[in-house]
Each structure stands twice: as C-alpha cells, then as structure tokens.
Amino acid sequence: MDPTRQAITPELRRWIVEQARAGQPPDGVLAAMRASGWHEDVAIAAIEQALQDFLQEQGIAAPVPVPAPELEGSPSVVRAGDRDVQVLLQMALPRVVVFGALLSAAECEQLIELARPRLARSQTVQQATGGSEVNAARTSRGMFFQRGENEVVARIERRIAALLHWPLDHGEGLQVLHYGPGAEYQPHHDYFDPAQPGTPTILRRGGQRVGTVVMYLNTPARGGGTTFPDVGLEVGAVRGNAVFFSYGRAHPVTKTLHGGAPVVEGEKWVATKWLREGVFT
C-alpha cells in the first residue's frame, strides 16, 4: 500500500475500537495492520485516534499537560533551582517520583514552627457545593499559607516550580498538616470529580489539579507513609523527602488513588503543594 494514499476511515477506527474491546493490546493491533500492508506511521496515527475516541466514549477525557521533572537518562540527582535533589524512585503508572532532600532540616523546622499556632481540624473540598467540610476520612490538623507568604514558603515554591517545570502561579498555597498517633487520611484522589455539581465552581480558580507534591517535615517513629493502593506502593515518611505524582485526567485510570497511612507511633508533619492547570487565584 502506498502510505501517501492510505486514509484513516471511520470503518478503520471502528475496527480498531472493536479490537480494543476484545482485549487486543495496541502493539497487537499495530502488528496486524502492518501485516496487512499499512504503513507504520499511518497505523500508529489511526490507533491513537481510534483509542482516544474509545476513551471518550467511556467518559475518559484526553490528557492535559502536567508538571514533570526532567528525568531523561535516569539521573540520580537533579537541580531544583537553588538545590540539588536526589531521585530515589520513579514509576510510569501512576506517574510517581520520590525525591530525596527536597527540603533542608532547617526548612522543615521553620515550616512546622510557622504553622503550629495556626493549626485547625483539617477539612476536605466539598465537591457537591464547591465549599469545604470536616470529613471523618481525614483526621489531621492543618493550615494554609498564602502563596509566597513568607521567605521560606516562597523559596520552596520557587524550588518546586523549577524542579517540575511548572509556572509558580499555577500552584495553590502550601498546606501544612499535623497527624498525631492514629491519625490518617483515607485513600482519595486529589483531582476534582467532573461529575460533581460543585466542580465547575472550584475550577474557576485555576482549572483542574494536575499534580501533587507531599513533603515530609519529620520522620514518624512508625507508620504515616503515603500509600498508593492501586499499585501496592507505600512511600515512607522521611524528613526532607517528598513524593510527587501527576494526573493528566480527572479519572481513576491515572491510578493516583492515595492516602496517608495511620501514624502508629510518634507524629507526622507534612507540607502539600497542589498544582493546577492554570493560574490559581
């Protein structure tokens, strides 16, 4: 077949979707098309178009750009603006990266002491209304800093922006949380559910959340890790380290269901930075 005359027809896209519904993996479909004379570039484009149509039929929107560190070549250390940061672990699905020494010990202590007088029972976003509420699934105490509120917060925000190649103004204010013995945050997603009536109100302030950075401000004696139940991963809470994960779709297919495991002994302090599609106001 002459690749310049190969057309991606509705019939071809339907056939590809039928193969997907039957459980045929994309590389199998590609091999079958190549065996039938399809040029590889045309076949790949057809598969991408057809599978995107298939995902939209299932209520899964096309992915949006997300924050991302530069990890080509699997470096063990990356530069984050003013600081070298270790790369301890990375996964493709979910997209998870664990960073070592994102914060200094002094920065961790500063955030704790600045936050301590302002702690109150943590709330969660009420997606039915766009407001917030106390939720039994979240038993921590917390507070929010305004973006750039003080020198240490501004420095950390600049570092995260440089590390993840994401604009500084596309982030919410830093949240600091304190968990005592037995406190936890049960598994949840950080994106806002498109099916909830309050979501359009929430999205007016910067669009969807597309990434999360959880920074550990101390090391609990036992427990308190960040869990990803869909993939059986638990990231230990170690002072100065951080776990980053991104989600280009507001859908469980991202496998970014996560939670804060109960603190078994001691206490846990974390600082969380949520990143948005657009300018957060």
Side-chain angles (χ1 to χ4, degrees):
M1 245 185 236
D2 179 356
T4 64
R5 300 178 64 85
Q6 293 178 320
I8 301 174
T9 63
E11 291 76 19
L12 176 61
R13 288 198 293 270
R14 280 196 294 271
W15 176 82
I16 294 170
V17 168
E18 288 169 2
Q19 301 308 300
R21 289 191 175 123
Q24 182 71 254
D27 56 351
V29 177
L30 177 60
M33 292 181 68
R34 290 180 61 186
S36 297
W38 286 91
H39 189 269
E40 184 172 276
D41 290 346
V42 178
I44 290 172
I47 292 169
E48 288 178 341
Q49 288 182 26
L51 292 184
Q52 185 58 60
D53 292 344
F54 175 62
L55 289 173
Q56 289 180 344
E57 287 176 11
Q58 307 305 309
I60 303 174
V64 298
V66 297
E70 179 51 67
L71 299 181
E72 185 177 354
S74 299
S76 58
V77 175
V78 292
R79 190 68 181 172
D82 64 336
R83 186 175 178 84
D84 286 334
V85 176
Q86 301 162 2
V87 181
L88 302 180
L89 174 149
Q90 58 172 311
M91 294 182 66
L93 186 64
R95 185 51 176 153
V96 173
V97 184
V98 179
F99 294 110
L102 178 63
L103 305 183
S104 69
E107 288 169 335
C108 292
E109 289 301 320
Q110 283 180 286
L111 286 178
I112 290 172
E113 293 312 310
L114 288 168
R116 194 187 298 274
R118 295 162 58 178
L119 294 177
R121 173 67 188 271
S122 297
Q123 298 187 344
T124 58
V125 174
Q126 171 53 268
Q127 295 191 50
T129 64
S132 60
E133 65 178 358
V134 171
N135 191 318
R138 191 180 201 185
T139 52
S140 60
R141 300 171 67 231
M143 56 78 64
F144 274 96
F145 289 108
Q146 294 295 316
R147 198 170 57 223
E149 179 175 325
N150 54 55
E151 189 274 334
V152 66
V153 167
R155 185 193 323 134
I156 292 168
E157 289 174 332
R158 289 194 299 269
R159 189 178 300 156
I160 291 170
L163 176 64
L164 301 179
H165 303 282
W166 204 246
L168 190 66
D169 60 7
H170 286 37
E172 299 179 27
L174 204 65
Q175 183 186 45
V176 173
L177 296 171
H178 175 250
Y179 295 80
E184 65 177 327
Y185 194 177
Q186 294 174 11
H188 59 282
H189 293 99
D190 281 352
Y191 57 73
F192 304 114
D193 185 350
Q196 292 297 319
T199 294
T201 299
I202 298 168
L203 298 186
R204 292 191 192 118
R205 299 183 66 197
Q208 265 291 0
R209 285 177 176 166
V210 290
T212 302
V213 185
V214 178
M215 295 160 277
Y216 305 107
L217 306 183
N218 78 315
T219 304
R222 286 195 296 154
T226 302
T227 62
F228 293 84
D230 287 346
V231 293
L233 173 67
E234 180 168 347
V235 178
V238 176
R239 185 176 72 172
N241 289 3
V243 58
F244 159 72
F245 49 100
S246 60
Y247 28 98
R249 292 182 171 100
H251 193 277
V253 72
T254 60
K255 297 189 181 298
T256 53
L257 182 73
H258 65 285
V263 176
V264 178
E265 182 181 350
E267 61 179 353
K268 180 177 77 168
W269 288 85
V270 299
T272 301
K273 181 73 171 177
W274 286 292
L275 305 171
R276 295 287 193 107
E277 285 182 278
V279 176
F280 180 75
T281 57

